[in-house]
Amino acid sequence: MADSQATPDRELDRNWARSVIDRALNCMSVELHAQGRGDVWGCLENNVIEGARAERPQSGALRTALHRARNRLRTLIRAECRHGENETVLHAALA
């Protein structure tokens, strides 16, 4: 039976993963607001927080912008992983 308690290494990995995601989200917020796309940031933020339960935007242009923002967020997270630890640590920490 696997131990359900978090080990110090696992907690460290989890904290690292959270900080990677937080930095990527902060960068996305700055980028989108600088482009005057606060509406896209609001949808992306809601989507990240609520996941599949998030309300789908009505506008086709907003859905396209949200899709591009998700791709950019993914790129930022991967770039953060390459600067420090291996990307597999992120997957393991979030599992």
mmCIF file of all heavy atoms in Angstrom, residues 12-58:
data_model
loop_
_atom_site.group_PDB
_atom_site.id
_atom_site.type_symbol
_atom_site.label_atom_id
_atom_site.label_comp_id
_atom_site.label_asym_id
_atom_site.label_seq_id
_atom_site.Cartn_x
_atom_site.Cartn_y
_atom_site.Cartn_z
ATOM 1 N N LEU A 12 8.454 19.621 -1.977
ATOM 2 C CA LEU A 12 9.349 20.549 -2.655
ATOM 3 C C LEU A 12 9.033 20.597 -4.146
ATOM 4 O O LEU A 12 8.966 21.679 -4.743
ATOM 5 C CB LEU A 12 10.806 20.135 -2.432
ATOM 6 C CG LEU A 12 11.864 21.069 -3.003
ATOM 7 C CD1 LEU A 12 11.797 22.427 -2.326
ATOM 8 C CD2 LEU A 12 13.244 20.460 -2.841
ATOM 9 N N ASP A 13 8.814 19.436 -4.755
ATOM 10 C CA ASP A 13 8.442 19.378 -6.168
ATOM 11 C C ASP A 13 7.119 20.085 -6.427
ATOM 12 O O ASP A 13 6.962 20.806 -7.407
ATOM 13 C CB ASP A 13 8.339 17.931 -6.659
ATOM 14 C CG ASP A 13 9.690 17.256 -6.807
ATOM 15 O OD1 ASP A 13 10.721 17.968 -6.777
ATOM 16 O OD2 ASP A 13 9.714 16.025 -6.957
ATOM 17 N N ARG A 14 6.165 19.876 -5.541
ATOM 18 C CA ARG A 14 4.858 20.508 -5.690
ATOM 19 C C ARG A 14 4.962 22.028 -5.579
ATOM 20 O O ARG A 14 4.360 22.766 -6.355
ATOM 21 C CB ARG A 14 3.918 19.980 -4.609
ATOM 22 C CG ARG A 14 2.544 19.685 -5.084
ATOM 23 C CD ARG A 14 1.729 19.114 -3.946
ATOM 24 N NE ARG A 14 1.604 17.694 -4.045
ATOM 25 C CZ ARG A 14 0.655 17.086 -4.729
ATOM 26 N NH1 ARG A 14 -0.236 17.799 -5.375
ATOM 27 N NH2 ARG A 14 0.585 15.789 -4.775
ATOM 28 N N ASN A 15 5.750 22.492 -4.624
ATOM 29 C CA ASN A 15 5.951 23.937 -4.465
ATOM 30 C C ASN A 15 6.650 24.518 -5.681
ATOM 31 O O ASN A 15 6.315 25.613 -6.130
ATOM 32 C CB ASN A 15 6.743 24.236 -3.196
ATOM 33 C CG ASN A 15 5.938 23.974 -1.944
ATOM 34 O OD1 ASN A 15 4.716 23.986 -1.962
ATOM 35 N ND2 ASN A 15 6.630 23.727 -0.843
ATOM 36 N N TRP A 16 7.622 23.790 -6.213
ATOM 37 C CA TRP A 16 8.320 24.241 -7.420
ATOM 38 C C TRP A 16 7.338 24.339 -8.585
ATOM 39 O O TRP A 16 7.330 25.326 -9.319
ATOM 40 C CB TRP A 16 9.467 23.282 -7.760
ATOM 41 C CG TRP A 16 10.105 23.591 -9.062
ATOM 42 C CD1 TRP A 16 11.050 24.540 -9.310
ATOM 43 C CD2 TRP A 16 9.823 22.977 -10.319
ATOM 44 N NE1 TRP A 16 11.385 24.535 -10.646
ATOM 45 C CE2 TRP A 16 10.640 23.591 -11.282
ATOM 46 C CE3 TRP A 16 8.961 21.958 -10.723
ATOM 47 C CZ2 TRP A 16 10.613 23.225 -12.626
ATOM 48 C CZ3 TRP A 16 8.942 21.596 -12.050
ATOM 49 C CH2 TRP A 16 9.756 22.229 -12.985
ATOM 50 N N ALA A 17 6.491 23.327 -8.753
ATOM 51 C CA ALA A 17 5.516 23.326 -9.845
ATOM 52 C C ALA A 17 4.544 24.493 -9.699
ATOM 53 O O ALA A 17 4.214 25.169 -10.682
ATOM 54 C CB ALA A 17 4.756 21.997 -9.871
ATOM 55 N N ARG A 18 4.092 24.747 -8.481
ATOM 56 C CA ARG A 18 3.193 25.889 -8.255
ATOM 57 C C ARG A 18 3.862 27.206 -8.619
ATOM 58 O O ARG A 18 3.242 28.081 -9.225
ATOM 59 C CB ARG A 18 2.748 25.926 -6.799
ATOM 60 C CG ARG A 18 1.690 24.923 -6.456
ATOM 61 C CD ARG A 18 1.169 25.141 -5.043
ATOM 62 N NE ARG A 18 0.390 24.000 -4.642
ATOM 63 C CZ ARG A 18 0.723 23.173 -3.656
ATOM 64 N NH1 ARG A 18 1.818 23.368 -2.950
ATOM 65 N NH2 ARG A 18 -0.038 22.154 -3.366
ATOM 66 N N SER A 19 5.131 27.347 -8.257
ATOM 67 C CA SER A 19 5.820 28.600 -8.568
ATOM 68 C C SER A 19 6.027 28.758 -10.076
ATOM 69 O O SER A 19 5.936 29.874 -10.598
ATOM 70 C CB SER A 19 7.144 28.705 -7.811
ATOM 71 O OG SER A 19 8.087 27.795 -8.291
ATOM 72 N N VAL A 20 6.295 27.663 -10.786
ATOM 73 C CA VAL A 20 6.423 27.715 -12.245
ATOM 74 C C VAL A 20 5.112 28.190 -12.866
ATOM 75 O O VAL A 20 5.088 29.089 -13.716
ATOM 76 C CB VAL A 20 6.826 26.340 -12.826
ATOM 77 C CG1 VAL A 20 6.632 26.290 -14.330
ATOM 78 C CG2 VAL A 20 8.267 26.014 -12.469
ATOM 79 N N ILE A 21 4.022 27.612 -12.437
ATOM 80 C CA ILE A 21 2.711 27.969 -12.976
ATOM 81 C C ILE A 21 2.350 29.402 -12.601
ATOM 82 O O ILE A 21 1.845 30.158 -13.437
ATOM 83 C CB ILE A 21 1.644 26.957 -12.504
ATOM 84 C CG1 ILE A 21 1.922 25.594 -13.151
ATOM 85 C CG2 ILE A 21 0.239 27.447 -12.836
ATOM 86 C CD1 ILE A 21 1.122 24.456 -12.577
ATOM 87 N N ASP A 22 2.629 29.799 -11.367
ATOM 88 C CA ASP A 22 2.337 31.174 -10.953
ATOM 89 C C ASP A 22 3.109 32.192 -11.782
ATOM 90 O O ASP A 22 2.553 33.217 -12.204
ATOM 91 C CB ASP A 22 2.665 31.374 -9.466
ATOM 92 C CG ASP A 22 1.648 30.744 -8.543
ATOM 93 O OD1 ASP A 22 0.531 30.411 -9.013
ATOM 94 O OD2 ASP A 22 1.965 30.579 -7.347
ATOM 95 N N ARG A 23 4.405 31.923 -12.033
ATOM 96 C CA ARG A 23 5.196 32.851 -12.846
ATOM 97 C C ARG A 23 4.663 32.924 -14.269
ATOM 98 O O ARG A 23 4.586 34.008 -14.862
ATOM 99 C CB ARG A 23 6.674 32.434 -12.854
ATOM 100 C CG ARG A 23 7.403 32.786 -11.571
ATOM 101 C CD ARG A 23 8.905 32.626 -11.697
ATOM 102 N NE ARG A 23 9.336 31.295 -12.090
ATOM 103 C CZ ARG A 23 9.635 30.302 -11.259
ATOM 104 N NH1 ARG A 23 9.535 30.493 -9.958
ATOM 105 N NH2 ARG A 23 10.034 29.144 -11.712
ATOM 106 N N ALA A 24 4.273 31.793 -14.835
ATOM 107 C CA ALA A 24 3.729 31.773 -16.193
ATOM 108 C C ALA A 24 2.410 32.533 -16.254
ATOM 109 O O ALA A 24 2.166 33.306 -17.188
ATOM 110 C CB ALA A 24 3.553 30.335 -16.682
ATOM 111 N N LEU A 25 1.547 32.346 -15.259
ATOM 112 C CA LEU A 25 0.274 33.066 -15.222
ATOM 113 C C LEU A 25 0.493 34.568 -15.063
ATOM 114 O O LEU A 25 -0.189 35.375 -15.698
ATOM 115 C CB LEU A 25 -0.615 32.534 -14.094
ATOM 116 C CG LEU A 25 -1.265 31.184 -14.345
ATOM 117 C CD1 LEU A 25 -1.902 30.654 -13.066
ATOM 118 C CD2 LEU A 25 -2.292 31.281 -15.465
ATOM 119 N N ASN A 26 1.451 34.935 -14.224
ATOM 120 C CA ASN A 26 1.750 36.356 -14.044
ATOM 121 C C ASN A 26 2.249 36.967 -15.355
ATOM 122 O O ASN A 26 1.824 38.061 -15.734
ATOM 123 C CB ASN A 26 2.793 36.539 -12.936
ATOM 124 C CG ASN A 26 3.042 37.988 -12.637
ATOM 125 O OD1 ASN A 26 2.097 38.766 -12.508
ATOM 126 N ND2 ASN A 26 4.298 38.366 -12.523
ATOM 127 N N CYS A 27 3.102 36.256 -16.054
ATOM 128 C CA CYS A 27 3.613 36.731 -17.340
ATOM 129 C C CYS A 27 2.468 36.884 -18.347
ATOM 130 O O CYS A 27 2.399 37.877 -19.080
ATOM 131 C CB CYS A 27 4.672 35.770 -17.859
ATOM 132 S SG CYS A 27 5.522 36.351 -19.328
ATOM 133 N N MET A 28 1.555 35.922 -18.377
ATOM 134 C CA MET A 28 0.403 35.989 -19.282
ATOM 135 C C MET A 28 -0.469 37.190 -18.950
ATOM 136 O O MET A 28 -0.942 37.891 -19.849
ATOM 137 C CB MET A 28 -0.450 34.722 -19.189
ATOM 138 C CG MET A 28 0.055 33.561 -19.978
ATOM 139 S SD MET A 28 0.208 33.871 -21.743
ATOM 140 C CE MET A 28 -1.416 34.388 -22.192
ATOM 141 N N SER A 29 -0.684 37.435 -17.675
ATOM 142 C CA SER A 29 -1.494 38.571 -17.258
ATOM 143 C C SER A 29 -0.882 39.879 -17.749
ATOM 144 O O SER A 29 -1.578 40.724 -18.326
ATOM 145 C CB SER A 29 -1.612 38.591 -15.732
ATOM 146 O OG SER A 29 -2.255 39.758 -15.295
ATOM 147 N N VAL A 30 0.423 40.023 -17.552
ATOM 148 C CA VAL A 30 1.115 41.241 -17.985
ATOM 149 C C VAL A 30 1.023 41.390 -19.506
ATOM 150 O O VAL A 30 0.707 42.468 -20.019
ATOM 151 C CB VAL A 30 2.589 41.218 -17.510
ATOM 152 C CG1 VAL A 30 3.400 42.317 -18.166
ATOM 153 C CG2 VAL A 30 2.658 41.322 -15.991
ATOM 154 N N GLU A 31 1.299 40.296 -20.237
ATOM 155 C CA GLU A 31 1.263 40.344 -21.702
ATOM 156 C C GLU A 31 -0.123 40.729 -22.220
ATOM 157 O O GLU A 31 -0.252 41.606 -23.078
ATOM 158 C CB GLU A 31 1.666 38.999 -22.304
ATOM 159 C CG GLU A 31 3.132 38.701 -22.257
ATOM 160 C CD GLU A 31 3.476 37.362 -22.900
ATOM 161 O OE1 GLU A 31 2.635 36.775 -23.621
ATOM 162 O OE2 GLU A 31 4.605 36.888 -22.669
ATOM 163 N N LEU A 32 -1.142 40.060 -21.719
ATOM 164 C CA LEU A 32 -2.494 40.312 -22.215
ATOM 165 C C LEU A 32 -2.991 41.708 -21.849
ATOM 166 O O LEU A 32 -3.636 42.365 -22.673
ATOM 167 C CB LEU A 32 -3.450 39.232 -21.714
ATOM 168 C CG LEU A 32 -3.253 37.857 -22.353
ATOM 169 C CD1 LEU A 32 -4.078 36.800 -21.625
ATOM 170 C CD2 LEU A 32 -3.603 37.889 -23.835
ATOM 171 N N HIS A 33 -2.698 42.168 -20.656
ATOM 172 C CA HIS A 33 -3.114 43.521 -20.276
ATOM 173 C C HIS A 33 -2.360 44.577 -21.082
ATOM 174 O O HIS A 33 -2.933 45.599 -21.446
ATOM 175 C CB HIS A 33 -2.962 43.743 -18.779
ATOM 176 C CG HIS A 33 -4.066 43.130 -17.990
ATOM 177 N ND1 HIS A 33 -3.963 41.877 -17.422
ATOM 178 C CD2 HIS A 33 -5.315 43.566 -17.693
ATOM 179 C CE1 HIS A 33 -5.093 41.577 -16.802
ATOM 180 N NE2 HIS A 33 -5.936 42.589 -16.962
ATOM 181 N N ALA A 34 -1.087 44.323 -21.377
ATOM 182 C CA ALA A 34 -0.309 45.257 -22.196
ATOM 183 C C ALA A 34 -0.871 45.347 -23.616
ATOM 184 O O ALA A 34 -0.769 46.390 -24.266
ATOM 185 C CB ALA A 34 1.155 44.832 -22.240
ATOM 186 N N GLN A 35 -1.483 44.258 -24.077
ATOM 187 C CA GLN A 35 -2.095 44.224 -25.411
ATOM 188 C C GLN A 35 -3.536 44.739 -25.384
ATOM 189 O O GLN A 35 -4.211 44.750 -26.410
ATOM 190 C CB GLN A 35 -2.085 42.799 -25.964
ATOM 191 C CG GLN A 35 -0.712 42.231 -26.192
ATOM 192 C CD GLN A 35 -0.753 40.728 -26.474
ATOM 193 O OE1 GLN A 35 -1.820 40.125 -26.621
ATOM 194 N NE2 GLN A 35 0.414 40.117 -26.551
ATOM 195 N N GLY A 36 -3.993 45.132 -24.195
ATOM 196 C CA GLY A 36 -5.375 45.587 -24.077
ATOM 197 C C GLY A 36 -6.375 44.445 -24.146
ATOM 198 O O GLY A 36 -7.532 44.650 -24.535
ATOM 199 N N ARG A 37 -5.958 43.251 -23.771
ATOM 200 C CA ARG A 37 -6.817 42.071 -23.841
ATOM 201 C C ARG A 37 -7.168 41.541 -22.453
ATOM 202 O O ARG A 37 -7.065 40.355 -22.170
ATOM 203 C CB ARG A 37 -6.143 40.959 -24.662
ATOM 204 C CG ARG A 37 -5.857 41.279 -26.105
ATOM 205 C CD ARG A 37 -7.074 41.714 -26.926
ATOM 206 N NE ARG A 37 -8.252 40.903 -26.810
ATOM 207 C CZ ARG A 37 -8.689 40.056 -27.724
ATOM 208 N NH1 ARG A 37 -8.027 39.902 -28.830
ATOM 209 N NH2 ARG A 37 -9.797 39.377 -27.524
ATOM 210 N N GLY A 38 -7.610 42.442 -21.608
ATOM 211 C CA GLY A 38 -8.038 42.041 -20.274
ATOM 212 C C GLY A 38 -9.195 41.054 -20.309
ATOM 213 O O GLY A 38 -9.326 40.217 -19.421
ATOM 214 N N ASP A 39 -10.013 41.133 -21.363
ATOM 215 C CA ASP A 39 -11.126 40.192 -21.503
ATOM 216 C C ASP A 39 -10.619 38.767 -21.689
ATOM 217 O O ASP A 39 -11.157 37.816 -21.111
ATOM 218 C CB ASP A 39 -12.026 40.586 -22.678
ATOM 219 C CG ASP A 39 -11.288 40.700 -24.003
ATOM 220 O OD1 ASP A 39 -10.049 40.905 -24.006
ATOM 221 O OD2 ASP A 39 -11.951 40.609 -25.058
ATOM 222 N N VAL A 40 -9.551 38.620 -22.463
ATOM 223 C CA VAL A 40 -8.962 37.290 -22.677
ATOM 224 C C VAL A 40 -8.349 36.796 -21.375
ATOM 225 O O VAL A 40 -8.508 35.631 -21.012
ATOM 226 C CB VAL A 40 -7.907 37.321 -23.810
ATOM 227 C CG1 VAL A 40 -7.249 35.961 -23.970
ATOM 228 C CG2 VAL A 40 -8.539 37.760 -25.118
ATOM 229 N N TRP A 41 -7.665 37.683 -20.646
ATOM 230 C CA TRP A 41 -7.076 37.285 -19.369
ATOM 231 C C TRP A 41 -8.169 36.824 -18.403
ATOM 232 O O TRP A 41 -8.017 35.816 -17.725
ATOM 233 C CB TRP A 41 -6.268 38.418 -18.734
ATOM 234 C CG TRP A 41 -5.910 38.112 -17.312
ATOM 235 C CD1 TRP A 41 -6.366 38.732 -16.201
ATOM 236 C CD2 TRP A 41 -5.062 37.048 -16.853
ATOM 237 N NE1 TRP A 41 -5.854 38.136 -15.079
ATOM 238 C CE2 TRP A 41 -5.051 37.100 -15.454
ATOM 239 C CE3 TRP A 41 -4.336 36.059 -17.488
ATOM 240 C CZ2 TRP A 41 -4.322 36.209 -14.669
ATOM 241 C CZ3 TRP A 41 -3.603 35.157 -16.716
ATOM 242 C CH2 TRP A 41 -3.602 35.240 -15.328
ATOM 243 N N GLY A 42 -9.281 37.543 -18.346
ATOM 244 C CA GLY A 42 -10.378 37.147 -17.470
ATOM 245 C C GLY A 42 -10.901 35.757 -17.798
ATOM 246 O O GLY A 42 -11.137 34.949 -16.903
ATOM 247 N N CYS A 43 -11.049 35.466 -19.087
ATOM 248 C CA CYS A 43 -11.505 34.130 -19.501
ATOM 249 C C CYS A 43 -10.470 33.066 -19.174
ATOM 250 O O CYS A 43 -10.806 31.982 -18.706
ATOM 251 C CB CYS A 43 -11.795 34.105 -20.999
ATOM 252 S SG CYS A 43 -13.326 34.902 -21.458
ATOM 253 N N LEU A 44 -9.193 33.374 -19.427
ATOM 254 C CA LEU A 44 -8.120 32.408 -19.160
ATOM 255 C C LEU A 44 -8.021 32.128 -17.671
ATOM 256 O O LEU A 44 -7.940 30.968 -17.257
ATOM 257 C CB LEU A 44 -6.788 32.923 -19.697
ATOM 258 C CG LEU A 44 -5.579 32.009 -19.473
ATOM 259 C CD1 LEU A 44 -5.767 30.693 -20.231
ATOM 260 C CD2 LEU A 44 -4.301 32.697 -19.920
ATOM 261 N N GLU A 45 -8.064 33.175 -16.878
ATOM 262 C CA GLU A 45 -7.988 33.021 -15.426
ATOM 263 C C GLU A 45 -9.161 32.177 -14.917
ATOM 264 O O GLU A 45 -8.975 31.252 -14.125
ATOM 265 C CB GLU A 45 -7.988 34.396 -14.768
ATOM 266 C CG GLU A 45 -7.764 34.364 -13.283
ATOM 267 C CD GLU A 45 -7.711 35.761 -12.705
ATOM 268 O OE1 GLU A 45 -8.462 36.650 -13.158
ATOM 269 O OE2 GLU A 45 -6.914 35.950 -11.783
ATOM 270 N N ASN A 46 -10.358 32.461 -15.396
ATOM 271 C CA ASN A 46 -11.538 31.697 -15.017
ATOM 272 C C ASN A 46 -11.394 30.243 -15.454
ATOM 273 O O ASN A 46 -11.726 29.321 -14.712
ATOM 274 C CB ASN A 46 -12.782 32.318 -15.637
ATOM 275 C CG ASN A 46 -14.054 31.715 -15.114
ATOM 276 O OD1 ASN A 46 -14.156 31.395 -13.947
ATOM 277 N ND2 ASN A 46 -15.026 31.559 -15.992
ATOM 278 N N ASN A 47 -10.861 30.034 -16.646
ATOM 279 C CA ASN A 47 -10.667 28.696 -17.181
ATOM 280 C C ASN A 47 -9.667 27.903 -16.351
ATOM 281 O O ASN A 47 -9.873 26.724 -16.075
ATOM 282 C CB ASN A 47 -10.208 28.794 -18.640
ATOM 283 C CG ASN A 47 -10.266 27.483 -19.364
ATOM 284 O OD1 ASN A 47 -9.270 26.799 -19.437
ATOM 285 N ND2 ASN A 47 -11.430 27.156 -19.891
ATOM 286 N N VAL A 48 -8.593 28.548 -15.917
ATOM 287 C CA VAL A 48 -7.579 27.876 -15.104
ATOM 288 C C VAL A 48 -8.150 27.532 -13.735
ATOM 289 O O VAL A 48 -7.930 26.433 -13.223
ATOM 290 C CB VAL A 48 -6.310 28.761 -14.967
ATOM 291 C CG1 VAL A 48 -5.379 28.229 -13.898
ATOM 292 C CG2 VAL A 48 -5.589 28.860 -16.300
ATOM 293 N N ILE A 49 -8.903 28.437 -13.156
ATOM 294 C CA ILE A 49 -9.451 28.214 -11.819
ATOM 295 C C ILE A 49 -10.572 27.175 -11.840
ATOM 296 O O ILE A 49 -10.600 26.266 -11.022
ATOM 297 C CB ILE A 49 -9.965 29.542 -11.219
ATOM 298 C CG1 ILE A 49 -8.780 30.460 -10.927
ATOM 299 C CG2 ILE A 49 -10.779 29.296 -9.962
ATOM 300 C CD1 ILE A 49 -9.180 31.871 -10.588
ATOM 301 N N GLU A 50 -11.487 27.297 -12.790
ATOM 302 C CA GLU A 50 -12.654 26.421 -12.802
ATOM 303 C C GLU A 50 -12.496 25.202 -13.692
ATOM 304 O O GLU A 50 -13.308 24.283 -13.622
ATOM 305 C CB GLU A 50 -13.887 27.221 -13.220
ATOM 306 C CG GLU A 50 -14.254 28.276 -12.203
ATOM 307 C CD GLU A 50 -15.638 28.822 -12.419
ATOM 308 O OE1 GLU A 50 -16.476 28.127 -13.016
ATOM 309 O OE2 GLU A 50 -15.873 29.951 -11.978
ATOM 310 N N GLY A 51 -11.492 25.194 -14.546
ATOM 311 C CA GLY A 51 -11.260 24.053 -15.419
ATOM 312 C C GLY A 51 -12.414 23.806 -16.366
ATOM 313 O O GLY A 51 -12.916 24.721 -17.005
ATOM 314 N N ALA A 52 -12.861 22.572 -16.440
ATOM 315 C CA ALA A 52 -13.902 22.179 -17.382
ATOM 316 C C ALA A 52 -15.249 22.825 -17.056
ATOM 317 O O ALA A 52 -16.108 22.915 -17.923
ATOM 318 C CB ALA A 52 -14.044 20.672 -17.394
ATOM 319 N N ARG A 53 -15.416 23.290 -15.829
ATOM 320 C CA ARG A 53 -16.692 23.907 -15.452
ATOM 321 C C ARG A 53 -16.809 25.342 -15.923
ATOM 322 O O ARG A 53 -17.859 25.951 -15.816
ATOM 323 C CB ARG A 53 -16.849 23.876 -13.936
ATOM 324 C CG ARG A 53 -16.892 22.482 -13.355
ATOM 325 C CD ARG A 53 -16.912 22.576 -11.867
ATOM 326 N NE ARG A 53 -15.765 23.401 -11.461
ATOM 327 C CZ ARG A 53 -15.233 23.402 -10.267
ATOM 328 N NH1 ARG A 53 -15.740 22.664 -9.330
ATOM 329 N NH2 ARG A 53 -14.203 24.152 -9.965
ATOM 330 N N ALA A 54 -15.717 25.911 -16.437
ATOM 331 C CA ALA A 54 -15.728 27.319 -16.859
ATOM 332 C C ALA A 54 -16.713 27.520 -17.998
ATOM 333 O O ALA A 54 -16.867 26.671 -18.874
ATOM 334 C CB ALA A 54 -14.334 27.757 -17.289
ATOM 335 N N GLU A 55 -17.358 28.659 -17.969
ATOM 336 C CA GLU A 55 -18.310 29.005 -19.021
ATOM 337 C C GLU A 55 -17.564 29.305 -20.314
ATOM 338 O O GLU A 55 -16.552 29.995 -20.322
ATOM 339 C CB GLU A 55 -19.108 30.230 -18.582
ATOM 340 C CG GLU A 55 -20.291 30.501 -19.458
ATOM 341 C CD GLU A 55 -21.146 31.614 -18.888
ATOM 342 O OE1 GLU A 55 -21.482 31.553 -17.694
ATOM 343 O OE2 GLU A 55 -21.460 32.547 -19.650
ATOM 344 N N ARG A 56 -18.071 28.796 -21.399
ATOM 345 C CA ARG A 56 -17.443 29.000 -22.701
ATOM 346 C C ARG A 56 -17.806 30.378 -23.252
ATOM 347 O O ARG A 56 -18.974 30.761 -23.256
ATOM 348 C CB ARG A 56 -17.935 27.913 -23.651
ATOM 349 C CG ARG A 56 -17.258 27.928 -24.977
ATOM 350 C CD ARG A 56 -17.693 26.760 -25.808
ATOM 351 N NE ARG A 56 -17.145 26.931 -27.144
ATOM 352 C CZ ARG A 56 -17.421 26.149 -28.153
ATOM 353 N NH1 ARG A 56 -18.239 25.149 -27.983
ATOM 354 N NH2 ARG A 56 -16.889 26.367 -29.317
ATOM 355 N N PRO A 57 -16.794 31.128 -23.727
ATOM 356 C CA PRO A 57 -17.099 32.454 -24.290
ATOM 357 C C PRO A 57 -18.014 32.346 -25.505
ATOM 358 O O PRO A 57 -17.920 31.403 -26.279
ATOM 359 C CB PRO A 57 -15.739 33.005 -24.700
ATOM 360 C CG PRO A 57 -14.719 32.080 -24.168
ATOM 361 C CD PRO A 57 -15.388 30.814 -23.795
ATOM 362 N N GLN A 58 -18.892 33.319 -25.666
ATOM 363 C CA GLN A 58 -19.840 33.315 -26.776
ATOM 364 C C GLN A 58 -19.197 33.750 -28.085
ATOM 365 O O GLN A 58 -19.506 33.218 -29.137
ATOM 366 C CB GLN A 58 -21.021 34.246 -26.456
ATOM 367 C CG GLN A 58 -21.820 33.792 -25.253
ATOM 368 C CD GLN A 58 -22.472 32.444 -25.471
ATOM 369 O OE1 GLN A 58 -23.039 32.187 -26.517
ATOM 370 N NE2 GLN A 58 -22.367 31.574 -24.488
#
